[in-house]
Amino acid sequence: GGPPRGGAAPPVDFKLRLAWQVWPAALALGHHLATQFPGGHWEGKRVLELGTGTGILGFLMSSLGADVILSDVAHALAVVEANIRVNKDRLRGRCAALSLDWTAFDEADFYGRVAAAWQVPVADVNFDYVLCSDCICEGLYLWDAFIKCLRSLCQGNTRGITANVIRGKEYECLSAMADHFDMEQKPIVDPPYGLSLDMPVLIYELTGS
């Protein structure tokens, strides 16, 4: 009996490995959100994070009092769900993990699941902010689908905030995003320890144009 010994480890999906790491864009965006908004700003705000990965950015928002939906593709949610359980005593706002694949985004279905997670009527589901860090990493993901999903989510008074490490191809997506959003670049003030400036991170606040 017992587990088999030796042999090659089962392969791990490359994009899943990406979701298991904390990337510089998330650190930079978290620093910006925690330091560049007035004290108490996040209390009671409703926040959606796309491509949450480990959930660190959403956990920061929840610890500051926001109600947060942490979203990623379904097969990447196990890590963030485990992290919710580990960090539950540190979270002040409501915090739930839901699957969201922006290549097959169904707005009615997603808002219905948010309503169930937050135990509110669907008509009351709205977001103040949609956060994205490194969601357009070096062309690994479908930019047109990402932009279409983001446009659907950033309606009315909902603001998007993105952070991306600029490795090369990200400029192409940012240029395409400028066709659909009013984009204001935000400086990284007093960069946090551990954030390398050798690989620039650009932060933009978005509103639908």
Side-chain angles (χ1 to χ4, degrees):
R5 299 179 180 178
V12 177
D13 179 82
F14 172 68
K15 291 182 180 178
L16 188 57
R17 293 207 308 269
L18 297 182
W20 292 347
Q21 300 182 57
V22 176
W23 294 92
L27 296 177
L29 184 52
H31 174 75
H32 175 76
L33 298 173
T35 63
Q36 300 304 303
F37 289 80
H41 174 81
W42 296 105
E43 194 76 38
K45 293 292 191 295
R46 293 185 172 189
V47 175
L48 168 64
E49 184 185 5
L50 300 180
T52 189
T54 63
I56 187 171
L57 193 57
F59 295 150
L60 170 63
M61 294 292 92
S62 180
S63 73
L64 294 174
D67 293 327
V68 181
I69 294 294
L70 305 166
S71 73
D72 213 317
V73 290
H75 68 273
L77 287 182
V79 169
V80 71
E81 288 171 340
N83 287 341
I84 289 174
R85 292 191 292 271
V86 170
N87 291 282
K88 63 182 180 180
D89 293 337
R90 300 180 177 90
L91 305 178
R92 294 173 53 217
R94 293 174 294 185
C95 191
L98 295 177
S99 63
L100 190 161
D101 180 349
W102 57 68
T103 66
F105 180 55
D106 183 328
E107 184 174 343
D109 170 74
F110 181 68
Y111 276 63
R113 290 186 288 123
V114 173
W118 279 348
Q119 298 183 328
V120 299
V122 173
D124 291 344
V125 173
N126 61 78
F127 296 103
D128 297 294
Y129 292 90
V130 178
L131 308 179
C132 325
S133 64
D134 260 349
C135 286
I136 54 171
C137 175
E138 188 60 3
L140 291 175
Y141 308 104
L142 297 175
W143 295 346
D144 55 345
F146 169 72
I147 293 172
K148 183 179 179 180
C149 178
L150 194 58
R151 289 179 65 195
S152 296
L153 293 165
C154 291
Q155 299 288 330
N157 294 323
T158 302
R159 298 166 63 188
I161 308 181
T162 70
N164 292 280
V165 172
I166 303 302
R167 304 171 180 87
K169 294 182 180 179
E170 288 80 3
Y171 279 121
E172 298 175 28
C173 183
L174 292 171
S175 177
M177 289 171 65
D179 293 334
H180 303 286
F181 296 97
D182 293 323
M183 301 174 61
E184 181 180 359
Q185 187 175 351
K186 297 295 183 178
I188 302 175
V189 180
D190 296 327
Y193 175 79
L195 181 63
S196 171
L197 297 182
D198 295 333
M199 188 172 286
V201 177
L202 299 185
I203 296 176
Y204 286 94
E205 292 191 8
L206 316 174
T207 54
S209 60

mmCIF file with all atom_site columns, all heavy atoms in Angstrom, residues 168-188:
data_model
loop_
_atom_site.group_PDB
_atom_site.id
_atom_site.type_symbol
_atom_site.label_atom_id
_atom_site.label_alt_id
_atom_site.label_comp_id
_atom_site.label_asym_id
_atom_site.label_entity_id
_atom_site.label_seq_id
_atom_site.pdbx_PDB_ins_code
_atom_site.Cartn_x
_atom_site.Cartn_y
_atom_site.Cartn_z
_atom_site.occupancy
_atom_site.B_iso_or_equiv
_atom_site.pdbx_formal_charge
_atom_site.auth_seq_id
_atom_site.auth_comp_id
_atom_site.auth_asym_id
_atom_site.auth_atom_id
_atom_site.pdbx_PDB_model_num
ATOM 1   N N   . GLY A 1 168 ? 7.206   43.898 -22.792 1.00 0.00 ? 168 GLY A N   1
ATOM 2   C CA  . GLY A 1 168 ? 7.333   44.122 -24.237 1.00 0.00 ? 168 GLY A CA  1
ATOM 3   C C   . GLY A 1 168 ? 5.976   44.264 -24.906 1.00 0.00 ? 168 GLY A C   1
ATOM 4   O O   . GLY A 1 168 ? 5.540   45.351 -25.269 1.00 0.00 ? 168 GLY A O   1
ATOM 5   N N   . LYS A 1 169 ? 5.267   43.156 -25.043 1.00 0.00 ? 169 LYS A N   1
ATOM 6   C CA  . LYS A 1 169 ? 4.028   43.138 -25.808 1.00 0.00 ? 169 LYS A CA  1
ATOM 7   C C   . LYS A 1 169 ? 2.855   43.814 -25.093 1.00 0.00 ? 169 LYS A C   1
ATOM 8   O O   . LYS A 1 169 ? 1.831   44.090 -25.719 1.00 0.00 ? 169 LYS A O   1
ATOM 9   C CB  . LYS A 1 169 ? 3.652   41.699 -26.142 1.00 0.00 ? 169 LYS A CB  1
ATOM 10  C CG  . LYS A 1 169 ? 4.635   41.015 -27.079 1.00 0.00 ? 169 LYS A CG  1
ATOM 11  C CD  . LYS A 1 169 ? 4.178   39.594 -27.417 1.00 0.00 ? 169 LYS A CD  1
ATOM 12  C CE  . LYS A 1 169 ? 5.157   38.920 -28.357 1.00 0.00 ? 169 LYS A CE  1
ATOM 13  N NZ  . LYS A 1 169 ? 4.740   37.531 -28.690 1.00 0.00 ? 169 LYS A NZ  1
ATOM 14  N N   . GLU A 1 170 ? 3.002   44.080 -23.794 1.00 0.00 ? 170 GLU A N   1
ATOM 15  C CA  . GLU A 1 170 ? 1.904   44.697 -23.050 1.00 0.00 ? 170 GLU A CA  1
ATOM 16  C C   . GLU A 1 170 ? 1.509   46.054 -23.632 1.00 0.00 ? 170 GLU A C   1
ATOM 17  O O   . GLU A 1 170 ? 0.352   46.464 -23.541 1.00 0.00 ? 170 GLU A O   1
ATOM 18  C CB  . GLU A 1 170 ? 2.270   44.858 -21.577 1.00 0.00 ? 170 GLU A CB  1
ATOM 19  C CG  . GLU A 1 170 ? 2.303   43.565 -20.779 1.00 0.00 ? 170 GLU A CG  1
ATOM 20  C CD  . GLU A 1 170 ? 3.582   42.777 -20.969 1.00 0.00 ? 170 GLU A CD  1
ATOM 21  O OE1 . GLU A 1 170 ? 4.488   43.266 -21.687 1.00 0.00 ? 170 GLU A OE1 1
ATOM 22  O OE2 . GLU A 1 170 ? 3.684   41.677 -20.413 1.00 0.00 ? 170 GLU A OE2 1
ATOM 23  N N   . TYR A 1 171 ? 2.462   46.757 -24.239 1.00 0.00 ? 171 TYR A N   1
ATOM 24  C CA  . TYR A 1 171 ? 2.135   48.065 -24.825 1.00 0.00 ? 171 TYR A CA  1
ATOM 25  C C   . TYR A 1 171 ? 1.057   47.937 -25.896 1.00 0.00 ? 171 TYR A C   1
ATOM 26  O O   . TYR A 1 171 ? 0.242   48.846 -26.070 1.00 0.00 ? 171 TYR A O   1
ATOM 27  C CB  . TYR A 1 171 ? 3.390   48.703 -25.423 1.00 0.00 ? 171 TYR A CB  1
ATOM 28  C CG  . TYR A 1 171 ? 4.274   49.399 -24.417 1.00 0.00 ? 171 TYR A CG  1
ATOM 29  C CD1 . TYR A 1 171 ? 5.592   49.007 -24.240 1.00 0.00 ? 171 TYR A CD1 1
ATOM 30  C CD2 . TYR A 1 171 ? 3.795   50.463 -23.644 1.00 0.00 ? 171 TYR A CD2 1
ATOM 31  C CE1 . TYR A 1 171 ? 6.413   49.648 -23.320 1.00 0.00 ? 171 TYR A CE1 1
ATOM 32  C CE2 . TYR A 1 171 ? 4.611   51.099 -22.720 1.00 0.00 ? 171 TYR A CE2 1
ATOM 33  C CZ  . TYR A 1 171 ? 5.919   50.684 -22.565 1.00 0.00 ? 171 TYR A CZ  1
ATOM 34  O OH  . TYR A 1 171 ? 6.718   51.311 -21.645 1.00 0.00 ? 171 TYR A OH  1
ATOM 35  N N   . GLU A 1 172 ? 1.050   46.831 -26.622 1.00 0.00 ? 172 GLU A N   1
ATOM 36  C CA  . GLU A 1 172 ? 0.057   46.641 -27.673 1.00 0.00 ? 172 GLU A CA  1
ATOM 37  C C   . GLU A 1 172 ? -1.344  46.571 -27.075 1.00 0.00 ? 172 GLU A C   1
ATOM 38  O O   . GLU A 1 172 ? -2.290  47.170 -27.601 1.00 0.00 ? 172 GLU A O   1
ATOM 39  C CB  . GLU A 1 172 ? 0.361   45.365 -28.461 1.00 0.00 ? 172 GLU A CB  1
ATOM 40  C CG  . GLU A 1 172 ? 1.687   45.371 -29.185 1.00 0.00 ? 172 GLU A CG  1
ATOM 41  C CD  . GLU A 1 172 ? 1.982   44.037 -29.839 1.00 0.00 ? 172 GLU A CD  1
ATOM 42  O OE1 . GLU A 1 172 ? 1.018   43.321 -30.203 1.00 0.00 ? 172 GLU A OE1 1
ATOM 43  O OE2 . GLU A 1 172 ? 3.171   43.693 -29.989 1.00 0.00 ? 172 GLU A OE2 1
ATOM 44  N N   . CYS A 1 173 ? -1.491  45.852 -25.973 1.00 0.00 ? 173 CYS A N   1
ATOM 45  C CA  . CYS A 1 173 ? -2.805  45.741 -25.328 1.00 0.00 ? 173 CYS A CA  1
ATOM 46  C C   . CYS A 1 173 ? -3.210  47.069 -24.709 1.00 0.00 ? 173 CYS A C   1
ATOM 47  O O   . CYS A 1 173 ? -4.372  47.472 -24.801 1.00 0.00 ? 173 CYS A O   1
ATOM 48  C CB  . CYS A 1 173 ? -2.803  44.643 -24.275 1.00 0.00 ? 173 CYS A CB  1
ATOM 49  S SG  . CYS A 1 173 ? -4.408  44.386 -23.503 1.00 0.00 ? 173 CYS A SG  1
ATOM 50  N N   . LEU A 1 174 ? -2.270  47.762 -24.067 1.00 0.00 ? 174 LEU A N   1
ATOM 51  C CA  . LEU A 1 174 ? -2.598  49.054 -23.469 1.00 0.00 ? 174 LEU A CA  1
ATOM 52  C C   . LEU A 1 174 ? -3.055  50.041 -24.535 1.00 0.00 ? 174 LEU A C   1
ATOM 53  O O   . LEU A 1 174 ? -3.968  50.834 -24.312 1.00 0.00 ? 174 LEU A O   1
ATOM 54  C CB  . LEU A 1 174 ? -1.391  49.601 -22.708 1.00 0.00 ? 174 LEU A CB  1
ATOM 55  C CG  . LEU A 1 174 ? -0.999  48.832 -21.444 1.00 0.00 ? 174 LEU A CG  1
ATOM 56  C CD1 . LEU A 1 174 ? 0.331   49.344 -20.899 1.00 0.00 ? 174 LEU A CD1 1
ATOM 57  C CD2 . LEU A 1 174 ? -2.085  48.946 -20.379 1.00 0.00 ? 174 LEU A CD2 1
ATOM 58  N N   . SER A 1 175 ? -2.441  49.968 -25.706 1.00 0.00 ? 175 SER A N   1
ATOM 59  C CA  . SER A 1 175 ? -2.860  50.822 -26.809 1.00 0.00 ? 175 SER A CA  1
ATOM 60  C C   . SER A 1 175 ? -4.283  50.484 -27.242 1.00 0.00 ? 175 SER A C   1
ATOM 61  O O   . SER A 1 175 ? -5.099  51.378 -27.501 1.00 0.00 ? 175 SER A O   1
ATOM 62  C CB  . SER A 1 175 ? -1.894  50.667 -27.982 1.00 0.00 ? 175 SER A CB  1
ATOM 63  O OG  . SER A 1 175 ? -2.314  51.438 -29.089 1.00 0.00 ? 175 SER A OG  1
ATOM 64  N N   . ALA A 1 176 ? -4.598  49.185 -27.301 1.00 0.00 ? 176 ALA A N   1
ATOM 65  C CA  . ALA A 1 176 ? -5.956  48.770 -27.670 1.00 0.00 ? 176 ALA A CA  1
ATOM 66  C C   . ALA A 1 176 ? -6.965  49.187 -26.602 1.00 0.00 ? 176 ALA A C   1
ATOM 67  O O   . ALA A 1 176 ? -8.098  49.577 -26.917 1.00 0.00 ? 176 ALA A O   1
ATOM 68  C CB  . ALA A 1 176 ? -5.993  47.259 -27.876 1.00 0.00 ? 176 ALA A CB  1
ATOM 69  N N   . MET A 1 177 ? -6.576  49.112 -25.329 1.00 0.00 ? 177 MET A N   1
ATOM 70  C CA  . MET A 1 177 ? -7.466  49.520 -24.248 1.00 0.00 ? 177 MET A CA  1
ATOM 71  C C   . MET A 1 177 ? -7.809  51.005 -24.335 1.00 0.00 ? 177 MET A C   1
ATOM 72  O O   . MET A 1 177 ? -8.920  51.420 -23.996 1.00 0.00 ? 177 MET A O   1
ATOM 73  C CB  . MET A 1 177 ? -6.827  49.196 -22.890 1.00 0.00 ? 177 MET A CB  1
ATOM 74  C CG  . MET A 1 177 ? -6.782  47.720 -22.578 1.00 0.00 ? 177 MET A CG  1
ATOM 75  S SD  . MET A 1 177 ? -5.805  47.335 -21.096 1.00 0.00 ? 177 MET A SD  1
ATOM 76  C CE  . MET A 1 177 ? -6.782  48.152 -19.837 1.00 0.00 ? 177 MET A CE  1
ATOM 77  N N   . ALA A 1 178 ? -6.852  51.806 -24.814 1.00 0.00 ? 178 ALA A N   1
ATOM 78  C CA  . ALA A 1 178 ? -7.079  53.246 -24.913 1.00 0.00 ? 178 ALA A CA  1
ATOM 79  C C   . ALA A 1 178 ? -8.175  53.591 -25.913 1.00 0.00 ? 178 ALA A C   1
ATOM 80  O O   . ALA A 1 178 ? -8.722  54.699 -25.881 1.00 0.00 ? 178 ALA A O   1
ATOM 81  C CB  . ALA A 1 178 ? -5.777  53.946 -25.292 1.00 0.00 ? 178 ALA A CB  1
ATOM 82  N N   . ASP A 1 179 ? -8.527  52.635 -26.790 1.00 0.00 ? 179 ASP A N   1
ATOM 83  C CA  . ASP A 1 179 ? -9.630  52.855 -27.727 1.00 0.00 ? 179 ASP A CA  1
ATOM 84  C C   . ASP A 1 179 ? -10.989 52.749 -27.032 1.00 0.00 ? 179 ASP A C   1
ATOM 85  O O   . ASP A 1 179 ? -11.994 53.163 -27.602 1.00 0.00 ? 179 ASP A O   1
ATOM 86  C CB  . ASP A 1 179 ? -9.575  51.840 -28.871 1.00 0.00 ? 179 ASP A CB  1
ATOM 87  C CG  . ASP A 1 179 ? -8.366  52.046 -29.773 1.00 0.00 ? 179 ASP A CG  1
ATOM 88  O OD1 . ASP A 1 179 ? -7.867  53.185 -29.843 1.00 0.00 ? 179 ASP A OD1 1
ATOM 89  O OD2 . ASP A 1 179 ? -7.916  51.062 -30.390 1.00 0.00 ? 179 ASP A OD2 1
ATOM 90  N N   . HIS A 1 180 ? -11.009 52.167 -25.848 1.00 0.00 ? 180 HIS A N   1
ATOM 91  C CA  . HIS A 1 180 ? -12.278 51.879 -25.172 1.00 0.00 ? 180 HIS A CA  1
ATOM 92  C C   . HIS A 1 180 ? -12.413 52.540 -23.803 1.00 0.00 ? 180 HIS A C   1
ATOM 93  O O   . HIS A 1 180 ? -13.513 52.575 -23.240 1.00 0.00 ? 180 HIS A O   1
ATOM 94  C CB  . HIS A 1 180 ? -12.440 50.368 -24.993 1.00 0.00 ? 180 HIS A CB  1
ATOM 95  C CG  . HIS A 1 180 ? -12.367 49.610 -26.277 1.00 0.00 ? 180 HIS A CG  1
ATOM 96  N ND1 . HIS A 1 180 ? -13.391 49.600 -27.201 1.00 0.00 ? 180 HIS A ND1 1
ATOM 97  C CD2 . HIS A 1 180 ? -11.378 48.842 -26.798 1.00 0.00 ? 180 HIS A CD2 1
ATOM 98  C CE1 . HIS A 1 180 ? -13.054 48.859 -28.229 1.00 0.00 ? 180 HIS A CE1 1
ATOM 99  N NE2 . HIS A 1 180 ? -11.841 48.370 -28.017 1.00 0.00 ? 180 HIS A NE2 1
ATOM 100 N N   . PHE A 1 181 ? -11.313 53.033 -23.248 1.00 0.00 ? 181 PHE A N   1
ATOM 101 C CA  . PHE A 1 181 ? -11.343 53.607 -21.909 1.00 0.00 ? 181 PHE A CA  1
ATOM 102 C C   . PHE A 1 181 ? -10.631 54.961 -21.895 1.00 0.00 ? 181 PHE A C   1
ATOM 103 O O   . PHE A 1 181 ? -9.722  55.204 -22.695 1.00 0.00 ? 181 PHE A O   1
ATOM 104 C CB  . PHE A 1 181 ? -10.630 52.696 -20.898 1.00 0.00 ? 181 PHE A CB  1
ATOM 105 C CG  . PHE A 1 181 ? -11.265 51.355 -20.704 1.00 0.00 ? 181 PHE A CG  1
ATOM 106 C CD1 . PHE A 1 181 ? -10.790 50.243 -21.387 1.00 0.00 ? 181 PHE A CD1 1
ATOM 107 C CD2 . PHE A 1 181 ? -12.331 51.199 -19.836 1.00 0.00 ? 181 PHE A CD2 1
ATOM 108 C CE1 . PHE A 1 181 ? -11.373 49.002 -21.209 1.00 0.00 ? 181 PHE A CE1 1
ATOM 109 C CE2 . PHE A 1 181 ? -12.922 49.958 -19.649 1.00 0.00 ? 181 PHE A CE2 1
ATOM 110 C CZ  . PHE A 1 181 ? -12.447 48.858 -20.333 1.00 0.00 ? 181 PHE A CZ  1
ATOM 111 N N   . ASP A 1 182 ? -11.050 55.817 -20.980 1.00 0.00 ? 182 ASP A N   1
ATOM 112 C CA  . ASP A 1 182 ? -10.229 56.956 -20.605 1.00 0.00 ? 182 ASP A CA  1
ATOM 113 C C   . ASP A 1 182 ? -9.223  56.445 -19.583 1.00 0.00 ? 182 ASP A C   1
ATOM 114 O O   . ASP A 1 182 ? -9.614  55.926 -18.523 1.00 0.00 ? 182 ASP A O   1
ATOM 115 C CB  . ASP A 1 182 ? -11.093 58.065 -20.004 1.00 0.00 ? 182 ASP A CB  1
ATOM 116 C CG  . ASP A 1 182 ? -12.040 58.680 -21.031 1.00 0.00 ? 182 ASP A CG  1
ATOM 117 O OD1 . ASP A 1 182 ? -11.637 58.828 -22.197 1.00 0.00 ? 182 ASP A OD1 1
ATOM 118 O OD2 . ASP A 1 182 ? -13.187 58.991 -20.658 1.00 0.00 ? 182 ASP A OD2 1
ATOM 119 N N   . MET A 1 183 ? -7.941  56.567 -19.874 1.00 0.00 ? 183 MET A N   1
ATOM 120 C CA  . MET A 1 183 ? -6.886  55.963 -19.064 1.00 0.00 ? 183 MET A CA  1
ATOM 121 C C   . MET A 1 183 ? -5.994  57.049 -18.487 1.00 0.00 ? 183 MET A C   1
ATOM 122 O O   . MET A 1 183 ? -5.487  57.893 -19.212 1.00 0.00 ? 183 MET A O   1
ATOM 123 C CB  . MET A 1 183 ? -6.049  54.985 -19.897 1.00 0.00 ? 183 MET A CB  1
ATOM 124 C CG  . MET A 1 183 ? -6.875  53.854 -20.499 1.00 0.00 ? 183 MET A CG  1
ATOM 125 S SD  . MET A 1 183 ? -5.922  52.777 -21.620 1.00 0.00 ? 183 MET A SD  1
ATOM 126 C CE  . MET A 1 183 ? -4.659  52.133 -20.511 1.00 0.00 ? 183 MET A CE  1
ATOM 127 N N   . GLU A 1 184 ? -5.808  56.989 -17.173 1.00 0.00 ? 184 GLU A N   1
ATOM 128 C CA  . GLU A 1 184 ? -4.924  57.941 -16.494 1.00 0.00 ? 184 GLU A CA  1
ATOM 129 C C   . GLU A 1 184 ? -3.823  57.169 -15.789 1.00 0.00 ? 184 GLU A C   1
ATOM 130 O O   . GLU A 1 184 ? -4.087  56.374 -14.879 1.00 0.00 ? 184 GLU A O   1
ATOM 131 C CB  . GLU A 1 184 ? -5.709  58.772 -15.473 1.00 0.00 ? 184 GLU A CB  1
ATOM 132 C CG  . GLU A 1 184 ? -4.858  59.794 -14.748 1.00 0.00 ? 184 GLU A CG  1
ATOM 133 C CD  . GLU A 1 184 ? -5.636  60.609 -13.732 1.00 0.00 ? 184 GLU A CD  1
ATOM 134 O OE1 . GLU A 1 184 ? -6.864  60.399 -13.597 1.00 0.00 ? 184 GLU A OE1 1
ATOM 135 O OE2 . GLU A 1 184 ? -5.019  61.454 -13.049 1.00 0.00 ? 184 GLU A OE2 1
ATOM 136 N N   . GLN A 1 185 ? -2.591  57.382 -16.219 1.00 0.00 ? 185 GLN A N   1
ATOM 137 C CA  . GLN A 1 185 ? -1.472  56.684 -15.580 1.00 0.00 ? 185 GLN A CA  1
ATOM 138 C C   . GLN A 1 185 ? -1.205  57.272 -14.204 1.00 0.00 ? 185 GLN A C   1
ATOM 139 O O   . GLN A 1 185 ? -1.236  58.489 -14.005 1.00 0.00 ? 185 GLN A O   1
ATOM 140 C CB  . GLN A 1 185 ? -0.216  56.773 -16.430 1.00 0.00 ? 185 GLN A CB  1
ATOM 141 C CG  . GLN A 1 185 ? 0.933   55.923 -15.876 1.00 0.00 ? 185 GLN A CG  1
ATOM 142 C CD  . GLN A 1 185 ? 2.143   55.905 -16.780 1.00 0.00 ? 185 GLN A CD  1
ATOM 143 O OE1 . GLN A 1 185 ? 2.103   56.390 -17.912 1.00 0.00 ? 185 GLN A OE1 1
ATOM 144 N NE2 . GLN A 1 185 ? 3.243   55.364 -16.287 1.00 0.00 ? 185 GLN A NE2 1
ATOM 145 N N   . LYS A 1 186 ? -0.946  56.397 -13.246 1.00 0.00 ? 186 LYS A N   1
ATOM 146 C CA  . LYS A 1 186 ? -0.675  56.799 -11.872 1.00 0.00 ? 186 LYS A CA  1
ATOM 147 C C   . LYS A 1 186 ? 0.762   56.453 -11.496 1.00 0.00 ? 186 LYS A C   1
ATOM 148 O O   . LYS A 1 186 ? 1.234   55.349 -11.778 1.00 0.00 ? 186 LYS A O   1
ATOM 149 C CB  . LYS A 1 186 ? -1.645  56.096 -10.917 1.00 0.00 ? 186 LYS A CB  1
ATOM 150 C CG  . LYS A 1 186 ? -3.103  56.459 -11.120 1.00 0.00 ? 186 LYS A CG  1
ATOM 151 C CD  . LYS A 1 186 ? -3.354  57.924 -10.800 1.00 0.00 ? 186 LYS A CD  1
ATOM 152 C CE  . LYS A 1 186 ? -4.813  58.299 -10.919 1.00 0.00 ? 186 LYS A CE  1
ATOM 153 N NZ  . LYS A 1 186 ? -5.063  59.709 -10.554 1.00 0.00 ? 186 LYS A NZ  1
ATOM 154 N N   . PRO A 1 187 ? 1.466   57.371 -10.858 1.00 0.00 ? 187 PRO A N   1
ATOM 155 C CA  . PRO A 1 187 ? 2.843   57.077 -10.455 1.00 0.00 ? 187 PRO A CA  1
ATOM 156 C C   . PRO A 1 187 ? 2.870   56.118 -9.267  1.00 0.00 ? 187 PRO A C   1
ATOM 157 O O   . PRO A 1 187 ? 1.920   56.045 -8.481  1.00 0.00 ? 187 PRO A O   1
ATOM 158 C CB  . PRO A 1 187 ? 3.382   58.447 -10.049 1.00 0.00 ? 187 PRO A CB  1
ATOM 159 C CG  . PRO A 1 187 ? 2.163   59.198 -9.572  1.00 0.00 ? 187 PRO A CG  1
ATOM 160 C CD  . PRO A 1 187 ? 1.036   58.733 -10.453 1.00 0.00 ? 187 PRO A CD  1
ATOM 161 N N   . ILE A 1 188 ? 3.955   55.383 -9.159  1.00 0.00 ? 188 ILE A N   1
ATOM 162 C CA  . ILE A 1 188 ? 4.183   54.553 -7.974  1.00 0.00 ? 188 ILE A CA  1
ATOM 163 C C   . ILE A 1 188 ? 4.987   55.393 -6.995  1.00 0.00 ? 188 ILE A C   1
ATOM 164 O O   . ILE A 1 188 ? 6.171   55.649 -7.203  1.00 0.00 ? 188 ILE A O   1
ATOM 165 C CB  . ILE A 1 188 ? 4.913   53.252 -8.329  1.00 0.00 ? 188 ILE A CB  1
ATOM 166 C CG1 . ILE A 1 188 ? 4.107   52.456 -9.354  1.00 0.00 ? 188 ILE A CG1 1
ATOM 167 C CG2 . ILE A 1 188 ? 5.171   52.418 -7.078  1.00 0.00 ? 188 ILE A CG2 1
ATOM 168 C CD1 . ILE A 1 188 ? 4.811   51.208 -9.850  1.00 0.00 ? 188 ILE A CD1 1
#
